[in-house]
């Protein structure tokens, strides 16, 4: 185990984080940048003494459970997680589950494009962020935040690309199973889909392969009727997430419909 390198890596990543990055309140009494050791220890559910010894290169070899806890506390990317395991002299285990938190700069991006409907989905098609226009266009995402569940088991607006989207969903869920075999939320979702949708089971058995990209689809919205929309996907590889931008061609009835749905203020 490279104790000195591990200690330096932990200190560096701790000092790069701001309290707001992990949902903590910032105060004006901080003399050094980043999080305090006790804050990291609390986020990782370990004693402050144990974490301090790791940063001082005095601790024992941390277990995979400890390393996963530090990965979450320090908001490490998948590449950084792999590096952390290597420094600890331990083979990386599959991640416990996909990242289900939105980085602040991504959330800010959604706020800065009010005329475009935009959502962020995690590796299991859970909607983890969205702007007001997206919520107005796509319905009650707060109550039913998983698009895979909505597509196969819930109510969803009629769409000309519904069948294509079903195959895209299954392809992404298959990739998620390979990456996160221990994720309980994903396991429950798949069990519900298998039990409740013959269509899902059939598509799953065909082992579809799809990459994100540009799609055009028409949906029937209960307020504005049929609208023809463009869907473009921006991937966030470090977090295994996708930002979906939904737009209409300028000057079209669909563009006017989106303006109609845009919340006031």
């Amino acid at each position: 185990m490279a104790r000195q390198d591990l200690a330096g890596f932990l200190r560096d990543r701790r000092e790069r984080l701001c309290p707001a990055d992990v949902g903590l309140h910032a105060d004006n009494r901080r003399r050094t940048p980043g999080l305090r050791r006790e804050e990291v220890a609390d986020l990782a559910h370990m004693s402050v003494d144990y974490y301090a010894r790791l940063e001082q290169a005095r601790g024992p070899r941390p277990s995979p459970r400890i390393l996963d806890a530090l990965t979450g506390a320090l908001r490490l990317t998948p590449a950084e997680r792999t590096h952390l395991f290597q420094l600890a002299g331990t083979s990386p285990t599959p991640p416990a589950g996909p990242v289900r938190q939105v980085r602040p700069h991504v959330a800010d991006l959604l706020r800065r494009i009010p005329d475009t409907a935009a959502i962020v989905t995690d590796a299991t098609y859970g909607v983890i962020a969205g702007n007001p226009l997206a919520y107005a266009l796509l319905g009650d995402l707060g109550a039913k935040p998983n698009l895979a569940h909505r597509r196969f088991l819930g109510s969803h607006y009629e769409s000309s690309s519904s069948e294509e989207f079903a195959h895209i969903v299954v392809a992404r869920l298959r990739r998620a199973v390979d990456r996160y075999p221990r994720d309980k939320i994903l396991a429950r979702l798949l069990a519900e889909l298998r039990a409740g949708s013959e269509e899902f089971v059939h598509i799953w058995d065909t082992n579809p392969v799809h990459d994100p990209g540009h799609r055009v689809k028409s949906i029937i919205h209960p307020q504005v009727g049929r609208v023809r929309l463009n869907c473009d996907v921006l991937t966030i590889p470090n977090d295994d997430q996708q930002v979906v931008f939904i737009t209409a061609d300028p000057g079209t009835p669909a563009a006017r419909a989106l303006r109609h749905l845009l919340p006031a203020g």
Side-chain angles (χ1 to χ4, degrees), residues 76-183:
L76 301 184
T77 67
E80 289 172 329
R81 177 183 183 271
T82 298
H83 184 63
L84 175 67
F85 272 76
Q86 291 171 342
L87 291 176
T90 302
S91 298
T93 58
V99 178
R100 293 188 168 96
Q101 298 168 318
V102 180
R103 293 179 185 266
H105 69 274
V106 176
D108 184 61
L109 172 65
L110 304 189
R111 290 191 292 268
R112 289 190 281 114
I113 50 173
D115 294 335
T116 297
I119 58 174
V120 182
T121 61
D122 64 24
T124 67
Y125 264 108
V127 178
I128 54 177
N131 62 9
L133 182 55
Y135 284 87
L137 178 65
L138 300 177
D140 191 2
L141 292 174
K144 298 178 180 179
N146 187 281
L147 297 186
H149 192 283
R150 283 162 56 101
R151 170 57 185 81
F152 289 103
L153 300 179
S155 60
H156 57 281
Y157 299 152
E158 180 184 344
S159 170
S160 62
S161 61
S162 180
E163 183 176 352
E164 178 190 14
F165 181 60
H167 284 76
I168 293 172
V169 168
V170 173
R172 191 176 181 195
L173 291 181
R174 272 187 161 275
R175 292 195 299 271
V177 169
D178 292 338
R179 294 170 181 168
Y180 314 106
R182 296 180 292 155
D183 185 54

Side-chain angles (χ1 to χ4, degrees), residues 2 95 105 196 202 218 264:
H105 69 274
H202 170 72
S218 295

Side-chain angles (χ1 to χ4, degrees), residues 48-88:
V48 178
D49 177 69
Y50 181 86
Y51 178 74
R53 283 188 287 127
L54 289 178
E55 278 205 5
Q56 295 164 357
R58 296 188 298 110
R61 175 179 294 180
S63 68
R65 182 185 65 81
I66 291 293
L67 295 173
D68 272 331
L70 290 171
T71 294
L74 296 172
R75 303 298 192 264
L76 301 184
T77 67
E80 289 172 329
R81 177 183 183 271
T82 298
H83 184 63
L84 175 67
F85 272 76
Q86 291 171 342
L87 291 176

